Amino acid sequence: MTYSEDFREAAIAYKQKGHTIPQVCETFNISEKTYNNWTNQKQKAGNLKPKKHSRRKRKIDPKQLEQYVTEHPDACLKELAEHFNCKTS
């Protein structure tokens, strides 16, 4: 789950007001590792923006697969593999 930048800033500000790390974690319902990652990120990068994760490249385009399944709802895995020229595994 990705937390917003405002949420991360609020957690760090809460700690700077004199609360302990366990209190911060309990209040914001996060783990100590998450809090430590945020403080390290703020020190190194200077911001708390969530990292963007890119999806890995797939052999089959997800939109084409969705379209095919919509058009052929009763197609079995073997038929899908034949249509997209790949193996069932």
Side-chain angles (χ1 to χ4, degrees):
M1 181 166 123
T2 303
Y3 296 98
S4 69
E5 190 173 354
D6 294 338
F7 184 83
R8 296 170 185 220
E9 291 283 353
I12 290 175
Y14 189 76
K15 168 68 171 91
Q16 291 173 346
K17 289 180 183 176
H19 298 279
T20 64
I21 292 177
Q23 289 173 333
V24 172
C25 295
E26 184 177 335
T27 303
F28 289 89
N29 197 25
I30 58 174
S31 68
E32 289 188 26
K33 181 160 179 59
T34 298
Y35 176 79
N36 290 331
N37 287 342
W38 292 348
T39 56
N40 290 338
Q41 179 182 351
K42 186 163 184 161
Q43 288 174 354
K44 291 178 183 176
N47 63 40
L48 289 171
K49 292 182 181 177
K51 297 176 185 172
K52 292 187 178 182
H53 298 283
S54 60
R55 298 190 82 174
R56 71 180 182 148
K57 198 166 189 172
R58 303 285 181 165
K59 291 182 179 181
I60 300 172
D61 181 26
K63 291 179 183 177
Q64 290 178 353
L65 177 62
E66 183 179 357
Q67 180 182 359
Y68 184 83
V69 171
T70 303
E71 293 171 0
H72 305 91
D74 59 340
C76 64
L77 188 58
K78 185 177 179 181
E79 293 169 343
L80 287 168
E82 288 174 3
H83 178 77
F84 289 103
N85 195 26
C86 60
K87 297 181 180 180
T88 57
S89 58

